[in-house]
């Protein structure tokens, strides 16, 4: 069984109650984070998930709101005297930047007791990054700014798609079977460069063919409820505005 924990659900502008958007995939005892927002140590403690269960971190892109929790996560692992290796997945274009960021943390001086592996991939093509028994995680190009990827998770016949930051994306529309779609909705209405509004999300994708939709990357003060109320009962029943620490089964 695959579970998803919404560790944060806010857009880059921040929120009164939400942290910036990042997710945790939980497959049995093994977990992977998708991006790292503000307070990963606190959120993991709230969820009752120990740091030694985190196998890796998949970074969808390198805008600050998606990566600024990484030093806190690594520091917490050092405090816990972690010894198992950790894999950080990123686009090849960002490998040098990630290496420089890790060097700026001076992890060798702590000294860090575990190996950090960098697994880079070609973000311009679909790429399998994690393949384990009963679980496959792959990336596909997003339509954002620079090297950005969405994420496809396949587990025991179920398919989850996470859009990451993107405009309405044909790569998602071509996926066919989607059981769970987690999609950004930075605005409620209209359009935004490099992003999607809830209105666009509902208009662009075949919602009737998707079992469940969860909107993330939400912005305070936007009239999301108004958009949902206008979309019809069948669609509204499928769409949830995700919130921090919400947990779902896939």
């Amino acid at each position: 069984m695959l579970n998803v924990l919404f560790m944060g659900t806010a857009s880059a502008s921040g929120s009164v109650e939400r942290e910036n958007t990042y997710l945790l995939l939980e497959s049995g005892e093994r977990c992977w984070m998708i991006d790292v927002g503000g307070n990963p140590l606190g959120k993991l403690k709230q969820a009752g998930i120990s740091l030694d269960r985190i196998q890796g971190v998949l970074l969808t892109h390198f805008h600050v709101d998606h990566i600024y929790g990484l030093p806190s996560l690594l520091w917490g692992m050092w405090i816990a005297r972690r010894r198992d290796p950790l894999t950080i997945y990123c686009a090849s274009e960002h490998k040098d930047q990630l290496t420089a960021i890790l060097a700026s943390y001076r992890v060798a001086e702590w000294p860090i007791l575990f190996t950090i592996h960098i697994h880079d991939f070609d973000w311009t093509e679909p790429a399998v990054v994690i393949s384990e028994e009963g679980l496959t995680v792959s990336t596909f190009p997003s339509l954002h700014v620079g090297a950005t990827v969405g994420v496809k998770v396949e587990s025991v016949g179920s398919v989850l798609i996470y859009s990451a930051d993107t405009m309405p994306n044909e790569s998602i529309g071509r996926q066919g079977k989607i059981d769970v779609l987690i999609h950004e909705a930075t605005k409620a209405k209209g359009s935004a460069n490099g992003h999607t509004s809830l209105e666009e999300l509902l208009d662009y994708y075949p919602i009737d063919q998707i079992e469940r939709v969860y909107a993330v990357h939400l912005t305070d003060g936007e009239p999301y409820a108004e958009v949902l109320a206008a979309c019809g009962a069948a669609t509204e029943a499928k769409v949830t505005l995700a919130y921090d620490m919400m947990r779902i089964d896939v």
Side-chain angles (χ1 to χ4, degrees):
M1 174 71 72
L2 176 70
N3 297 307
V4 178
L5 175 66
F6 295 85
M7 298 185 72
T9 54
S11 67
S13 59
S15 168
V16 173
E17 298 182 348
R18 305 170 184 269
E19 289 190 9
N20 294 121
T21 296
Y22 62 121
L23 308 175
L24 180 117
L25 304 178
E26 186 177 9
S27 179
E29 289 301 308
R30 297 163 72 81
C31 300
W32 290 263
M33 296 179 69
I34 301 178
D35 294 331
V36 193
N39 181 24
L41 301 180
K43 289 296 181 70
L44 289 170
K45 287 183 177 181
Q46 288 179 47
I49 295 173
S50 61
L51 287 167
D52 59 0
R53 292 179 59 192
I54 308 298
Q55 307 300 306
V57 177
L58 171 54
L59 299 175
T60 62
H61 62 302
F62 270 55
H63 284 170
V64 171
D65 55 310
H66 292 264
I67 65 170
Y68 72 101
L70 183 60
S72 175
L73 180 68
L74 296 178
W75 188 250
M77 290 176 171
W78 174 75
I79 291 170
R81 302 192 67 78
R82 179 190 179 104
R83 292 186 179 275
D84 291 335
L86 179 77
T87 302
I88 303 178
Y89 306 84
C90 71
S92 298
E93 280 83 344
H94 293 313
K95 184 177 182 179
D96 288 346
Q97 184 178 355
L98 177 57
T99 300
I101 288 171
L102 294 174
S104 74
Y105 298 162
R106 298 183 176 180
V107 293
E109 297 178 18
W110 296 354
I112 202 165
L113 300 175
F114 57 94
T115 302
I116 298 175
H117 298 296
I118 297 177
H119 177 128
D120 63 306
F121 54 84
D122 180 1
W123 77 277
T124 65
E125 299 288 343
V128 174
V129 293
I130 300 167
S131 182
E132 306 227 340
E133 184 177 356
L135 179 72
T136 302
V137 179
S138 55
T139 63
F140 57 87
S142 178
L143 302 177
H144 189 43
V145 180
T148 307
V149 296
V151 181
K152 179 178 183 178
V153 184
E154 299 168 275
S155 176
V156 197
S158 295
V159 176
L160 175 147
I161 298 293
Y162 171 47
S163 69
D165 287 12
T166 189
M167 295 185 289
N169 190 347
E170 185 182 354
S171 294
I172 296 174
R174 291 198 306 258
Q175 290 295 332
K177 171 184 167 67
I178 300 177
D179 296 289
V180 175
L181 174 62
I182 300 173
H183 202 290
E184 75 123 294
T186 300
K187 296 177 60 178
K189 299 179 178 182
S191 60
N193 185 39
H195 292 283
T196 303
S197 69
L198 181 59
E199 201 172 55
E200 289 177 317
L201 190 168
L202 300 178
D203 287 342
Y204 187 84
Y205 299 108
I207 303 299
D208 60 320
Q209 299 173 32
I210 301 170
E211 185 177 330
R212 289 175 284 160
V213 178
Y214 296 89
V216 295
H217 212 263
L218 303 171
T219 302
D220 287 359
E222 285 288 315
Y224 295 111
E226 181 182 322
V227 172
L228 288 176
C231 71
T235 297
E236 185 177 9
K238 289 189 171 191
V239 181
T240 299
L241 301 178
Y243 53 85
D244 289 21
M245 301 307 292
M246 181 181 186
R247 206 173 207 149
I248 62 170
D249 297 331
V250 179

